[in-house]
Amino acid sequence: MLELTMAAVSAADAGATAGMRMAEAPSEPGAVLRVGRDASVCRLVTPEDWLFVSRVHLEFRCGPDGAWRLTWLRGSQPDPSSEVRLVIGGHAQPVAYGGTVPLPAGGTGEVVVQDRTGPRSIDVGFHHEV
């Protein structure tokens, strides 16, 4: 089971958890959780006017081995308006635009989507139960 929690954070409400959203999916091959502005395909939806987040920005996908992977999907723009980093145990790892990284089995961490133009971010916490 992969559990996600998401909070939208701006300079005005840094540290606040208002608007926190949650989603989960079983660790079965092909299971998918998406994060972005498009509510028709994303389980966790960001504010519509936060254009530094693509319509479908992040995808968490369970592979045939039951392991979860995070992909920063390429959007319609050649250069992204945000940066994405995976934070596990205090260690931050940048995620490449269009890149995929594995999530630790049975691990906990955070994916941060940081606006390049202002003090706003989407923080997606994850917990993978095995």
Side-chain angles (χ1 to χ4, degrees), residues 29-108:
V32 175
L33 291 169
R34 293 185 182 97
V35 178
R37 295 188 342 258
D38 188 343
S40 69
V41 292
C42 296
R43 291 278 302 276
L44 293 174
V45 181
T46 64
E48 276 187 40
D49 61 340
W50 284 30
L51 300 180
F52 70 96
V53 177
S54 301
R55 285 181 175 81
V56 183
H57 202 86
L58 302 175
E59 181 177 85
F60 295 82
R61 180 177 293 274
C62 188
D65 56 357
W68 285 88
R69 290 162 185 79
L70 164 70
T71 301
W72 179 9
L73 300 169
R74 291 188 71 84
S76 60
Q77 302 298 318
D79 294 316
S81 300
S82 62
E83 296 174 356
V84 175
R85 65 186 176 276
L86 176 64
V87 182
I88 300 171
H91 174 72
Q93 167 189 350
V95 178
Y97 187 42
T100 299
V101 295
L103 298 181
T108 299

